[in-house]
Amino acid sequence: MKIQLRVWRQPAPSSPGRFVEYAADHVSPDMSFLEMLDVVNERLIAKGEVPIAFDSDCREGICGACGFLINGRAHGPDALTTVCQLHMRRFKDGDVLTLEPWRAKAFPVLKDLVVDRSAFDRIIQTGGYTSVNVGGAPDANAILIGKPTAESAFDSAQCIGCGACVAACKNASAALFTSAKISHLAVLPQGEIERKDRVVRMVEAMDRAGFGGCSNEGECEAVCPKGISLTNIATMNLEYWRALK
Ligand code: SF4
Ligand code: FES
């Protein structure tokens, strides 16, 4: 296959960026999307040019490091799929693909397709943990958790912090991410002690980081590669209201 790429190139956070076109020839349908970019980069390096910067780590949909817009859609065209899980067989010979980084004030572009997602870390640092001593692994079984509760906590805990929800939202809101982290701990007994402080601190940290407010558009849920539900945002709002009462 031959794919035409239009890639956002920006050498540094304060430098202006622009789209640059590259022809990706001899692309195998069995390649992953990032392998295709690896091949493009090897050719750029061989020509003495600067390779395209993009983030990745696990390359199996777990770490949340990868992620950019492909033809305007966060993580590309497939539902419940991160960029690193995409394969070139999803595209056709001759396709033109526009690649650009997440666009959000709270996620400044570092280089090309790489953004600084440390705003998420700052939200987690204010409350996305339990500071009570919950013992070792065998102690986990000493507190019985009902199956519906365990599944609810696990559904929320699947958020990988990729930032696609922010990129897809017209307000650049981090409500889906933050609410998933709050909901995960709110339903478990281990999270109970810090429950009220946690939601207040995390919501305030989200606002301080420069993310926009949620206006229930649902774009975040539509692009989330882990299927995090909007009901997490309703839970966060309820938890916040209860904490302030
Ligand atoms: S809620 Fe979904 S889209 Fe947002 S950071 Fe978590 S996994 Fe990514
Ligand atoms: S590289 Fe880890 S989720 Fe894509």
Side-chain angles (χ1 to χ4, degrees):
M1 297 197 301
K2 181 172 178 176
I3 303 288
Q4 193 67 25
L5 298 173
R6 290 179 70 236
V7 184
W8 183 259
R9 300 303 311 263
Q10 183 173 335
S14 54
S15 313
R18 66 190 177 95
F19 284 105
V20 179
E21 304 218 352
Y22 300 98
D25 295 328
H26 308 297
V27 172
S28 160
D30 296 326
M31 281 179 177
S32 75
F33 200 91
L34 295 185
E35 281 169 343
M36 180 275 294
L37 283 183
D38 289 339
V39 172
V40 170
N41 275 345
E42 278 165 18
R43 291 176 191 158
L44 289 177
I45 292 166
K47 287 195 288 182
E49 295 181 26
V50 179
I52 300 160
F54 60 90
D55 236 343
S56 73
D57 187 0
C58 69
R59 297 201 174 195
E60 52 185 37
I62 295 171
C63 73
C66 67
F68 43 78
L69 300 166
I70 302 175
N71 287 351
R73 188 174 167 94
H75 285 299
D78 287 350
L80 302 175
T81 305
T82 53
V83 164
C84 63
Q85 294 174 299
L86 261 184
H87 282 81
M88 294 313 295
R89 55 182 165 268
R90 181 63 178 76
F91 303 96
K92 299 191 306 293
D93 185 38
D95 272 356
V96 179
L97 304 180
T98 300
L99 314 186
E100 54 186 318
W102 295 159
R103 304 287 190 186
K105 189 177 77 177
F107 286 164
V109 175
L110 293 176
K111 188 174 181 181
D112 300 339
L113 304 177
V114 181
V115 299
D116 177 359
R117 286 178 296 115
S118 60
F120 272 5
D121 298 334
R122 291 195 293 280
I123 295 172
I124 293 295
Q125 282 161 5
T126 62
Y129 53 82
T130 58
S131 49
V132 291
N133 184 354
V134 294
D139 301 314
N141 293 328
I143 303 175
L144 297 180
I145 311 281
K147 189 168 171 55
T149 302
E151 287 189 348
S152 165
F154 185 69
D155 285 348
S156 300
Q158 286 192 79
C159 166
I160 55 174
C162 64
C165 45
V166 175
C169 176
K170 68 173 187 176
N171 307 320
S173 169
L176 194 65
F177 164 80
T178 309
S179 66
K181 302 303 176 190
I182 289 168
S183 303
H184 160 211
L185 293 171
V187 296
L188 293 172
Q190 291 89 342
E192 184 62 32
I193 294 170
E194 293 152 298
R195 184 171 176 173
K196 288 188 175 178
D197 287 345
R198 173 183 303 112
V199 64
V200 173
R201 289 200 306 258
M202 291 182 77
V203 168
E204 287 175 355
M206 175 177 73
D207 291 341
R208 266 198 314 275
F211 295 106
C214 171
S215 51
N216 290 319
E217 307 298 321
E219 299 291 337
C220 51
E221 184 187 64
V223 300
C224 174
K226 297 296 155 185
I228 301 296
S229 164
L230 280 181
T231 57
N232 285 279
I233 299 179
T235 300
M236 175 174 74
N237 291 339
L238 181 62
E239 291 285 321
Y240 188 69
W241 179 75
R242 280 184 178 151
L244 292 184
K245 257 205 325 176

Short mmCIF file of all heavy atoms in Angstrom, two decimals, residues 64 75 120 158-166 176-178 180-181 220 223-228, ligand 1:
data_model
loop_
_atom_site.label_atom_id
_atom_site.label_comp_id
_atom_site.label_asym_id
_atom_site.label_seq_id
_atom_site.Cartn_x
_atom_site.Cartn_y
_atom_site.Cartn_z
N GLY A 64 -1.15 4.11 27.88
CA GLY A 64 -1.73 5.43 27.60
C GLY A 64 -0.76 6.43 27.00
O GLY A 64 -1.10 7.58 26.81
N HIS A 75 -7.05 8.82 18.51
CA HIS A 75 -6.68 7.40 18.40
C HIS A 75 -7.12 6.76 17.07
O HIS A 75 -7.06 5.53 16.93
CB HIS A 75 -7.24 6.55 19.54
CG HIS A 75 -6.53 6.71 20.86
ND1 HIS A 75 -5.21 6.40 21.04
CD2 HIS A 75 -6.99 7.14 22.06
CE1 HIS A 75 -4.88 6.62 22.31
NE2 HIS A 75 -5.92 7.08 22.95
N PHE A 120 -2.32 15.64 34.03
CA PHE A 120 -3.02 14.47 34.60
C PHE A 120 -2.30 13.99 35.87
O PHE A 120 -2.94 13.62 36.84
CB PHE A 120 -3.06 13.33 33.58
CG PHE A 120 -4.23 13.35 32.63
CD1 PHE A 120 -5.14 14.40 32.62
CD2 PHE A 120 -4.44 12.30 31.75
CE1 PHE A 120 -6.23 14.41 31.74
CE2 PHE A 120 -5.53 12.28 30.89
CZ PHE A 120 -6.41 13.34 30.87
N GLN A 158 -10.03 1.09 34.59
CA GLN A 158 -9.42 0.76 33.29
C GLN A 158 -8.88 1.98 32.55
O GLN A 158 -8.18 1.84 31.55
CB GLN A 158 -10.44 0.06 32.40
CG GLN A 158 -10.71 -1.37 32.83
CD GLN A 158 -11.48 -2.11 31.77
OE1 GLN A 158 -10.95 -2.55 30.76
NE2 GLN A 158 -12.78 -2.21 31.99
N CYS A 159 -9.23 3.18 33.01
CA CYS A 159 -8.71 4.40 32.37
C CYS A 159 -7.18 4.35 32.35
O CYS A 159 -6.55 4.13 33.38
CB CYS A 159 -9.18 5.63 33.13
SG CYS A 159 -8.29 7.13 32.68
N ILE A 160 -6.60 4.55 31.17
CA ILE A 160 -5.14 4.48 31.02
C ILE A 160 -4.48 5.87 30.97
O ILE A 160 -3.29 5.99 30.72
CB ILE A 160 -4.73 3.66 29.77
CG1 ILE A 160 -5.39 4.22 28.50
CG2 ILE A 160 -5.05 2.19 29.97
CD1 ILE A 160 -4.92 3.57 27.20
N GLY A 161 -5.30 6.91 31.16
CA GLY A 161 -4.71 8.27 31.21
C GLY A 161 -4.14 8.75 29.89
O GLY A 161 -3.18 9.51 29.87
N CYS A 162 -4.77 8.33 28.80
CA CYS A 162 -4.19 8.68 27.48
C CYS A 162 -4.47 10.12 27.07
O CYS A 162 -3.73 10.70 26.30
CB CYS A 162 -4.72 7.72 26.42
SG CYS A 162 -6.51 7.83 26.17
N GLY A 163 -5.59 10.68 27.54
CA GLY A 163 -5.91 12.06 27.20
C GLY A 163 -6.80 12.23 25.98
O GLY A 163 -7.10 13.36 25.59
N ALA A 164 -7.24 11.13 25.37
CA ALA A 164 -8.11 11.25 24.19
C ALA A 164 -9.40 11.97 24.52
O ALA A 164 -9.94 12.71 23.68
CB ALA A 164 -8.41 9.85 23.63
N CYS A 165 -9.90 11.76 25.73
CA CYS A 165 -11.16 12.40 26.15
C CYS A 165 -11.02 13.92 26.11
O CYS A 165 -11.92 14.63 25.66
CB CYS A 165 -11.56 11.92 27.54
SG CYS A 165 -10.21 11.90 28.74
N VAL A 166 -9.87 14.42 26.55
CA VAL A 166 -9.62 15.86 26.54
C VAL A 166 -9.54 16.35 25.09
O VAL A 166 -10.12 17.37 24.73
CB VAL A 166 -8.30 16.18 27.28
CG1 VAL A 166 -7.96 17.66 27.17
CG2 VAL A 166 -8.40 15.75 28.74
N LEU A 176 -13.88 13.22 32.22
CA LEU A 176 -14.00 11.76 32.14
C LEU A 176 -12.82 11.09 32.86
O LEU A 176 -13.00 10.15 33.65
CB LEU A 176 -14.09 11.28 30.69
CG LEU A 176 -14.55 9.84 30.52
CD1 LEU A 176 -15.99 9.65 30.99
CD2 LEU A 176 -14.44 9.37 29.07
N PHE A 177 -11.62 11.58 32.60
CA PHE A 177 -10.43 11.03 33.27
C PHE A 177 -10.55 11.17 34.78
O PHE A 177 -10.42 10.20 35.54
CB PHE A 177 -9.18 11.76 32.76
CG PHE A 177 -7.97 11.58 33.61
CD1 PHE A 177 -7.21 10.42 33.53
CD2 PHE A 177 -7.59 12.56 34.53
CE1 PHE A 177 -6.09 10.24 34.34
CE2 PHE A 177 -6.48 12.39 35.34
CZ PHE A 177 -5.73 11.22 35.25
N THR A 178 -10.79 12.41 35.24
CA THR A 178 -10.80 12.68 36.68
C THR A 178 -11.91 11.89 37.37
O THR A 178 -11.72 11.31 38.44
CB THR A 178 -10.99 14.19 36.94
OG1 THR A 178 -10.03 14.90 36.16
CG2 THR A 178 -10.81 14.54 38.40
N ALA A 180 -13.23 9.07 36.42
CA ALA A 180 -12.92 7.64 36.46
C ALA A 180 -12.05 7.33 37.67
O ALA A 180 -12.27 6.34 38.39
CB ALA A 180 -12.22 7.21 35.17
N LYS A 181 -11.06 8.21 37.93
CA LYS A 181 -10.17 7.98 39.07
C LYS A 181 -10.90 8.15 40.39
O LYS A 181 -10.63 7.42 41.36
CB LYS A 181 -8.97 8.95 38.99
CG LYS A 181 -8.16 8.86 37.70
CD LYS A 181 -7.63 7.46 37.47
CE LYS A 181 -6.91 7.30 36.15
NZ LYS A 181 -6.61 5.89 35.83
N CYS A 220 -16.10 12.54 24.73
CA CYS A 220 -15.05 11.83 25.48
C CYS A 220 -15.34 10.33 25.51
O CYS A 220 -14.45 9.52 25.21
CB CYS A 220 -14.97 12.39 26.90
SG CYS A 220 -16.56 12.47 27.75
N VAL A 223 -14.75 8.45 22.14
CA VAL A 223 -13.38 8.14 21.67
C VAL A 223 -12.56 7.37 22.69
O VAL A 223 -11.44 6.94 22.36
CB VAL A 223 -12.60 9.42 21.27
CG1 VAL A 223 -13.30 10.17 20.17
CG2 VAL A 223 -12.35 10.32 22.48
N CYS A 224 -13.07 7.18 23.88
CA CYS A 224 -12.25 6.55 24.93
C CYS A 224 -11.89 5.12 24.54
O CYS A 224 -12.78 4.29 24.31
CB CYS A 224 -12.99 6.56 26.26
SG CYS A 224 -12.07 5.64 27.53
N PRO A 225 -10.62 4.79 24.45
CA PRO A 225 -10.24 3.43 24.03
C PRO A 225 -10.56 2.38 25.08
O PRO A 225 -10.47 1.18 24.79
CB PRO A 225 -8.73 3.55 23.80
CG PRO A 225 -8.28 4.67 24.67
CD PRO A 225 -9.43 5.64 24.71
N LYS A 226 -10.90 2.78 26.28
CA LYS A 226 -11.21 1.81 27.34
C LYS A 226 -12.69 1.80 27.70
O LYS A 226 -13.07 1.16 28.69
CB LYS A 226 -10.35 2.12 28.58
CG LYS A 226 -8.86 1.95 28.32
CD LYS A 226 -8.53 0.50 27.98
CE LYS A 226 -7.28 0.37 27.14
NZ LYS A 226 -7.01 -1.00 26.71
N GLY A 227 -13.51 2.51 26.94
CA GLY A 227 -14.95 2.46 27.16
C GLY A 227 -15.38 3.04 28.50
O GLY A 227 -16.39 2.59 29.08
N ILE A 228 -14.63 4.04 29.00
CA ILE A 228 -15.02 4.66 30.28
C ILE A 228 -16.35 5.39 30.07
O ILE A 228 -16.51 6.18 29.14
CB ILE A 228 -13.92 5.64 30.77
CG1 ILE A 228 -12.58 4.91 30.97
CG2 ILE A 228 -14.37 6.33 32.05
CD1 ILE A 228 -12.57 3.84 32.04
S1 SF4 B 1 -11.09 8.36 30.28
FE1 SF4 B 1 -10.58 7.13 28.42
S2 SF4 B 1 -9.89 8.66 26.93
FE2 SF4 B 1 -9.78 9.64 28.95
S3 SF4 B 1 -7.70 9.33 29.70
FE3 SF4 B 1 -8.95 7.61 30.49
S4 SF4 B 1 -8.71 5.99 28.96
FE4 SF4 B 1 -8.03 7.88 27.94
#
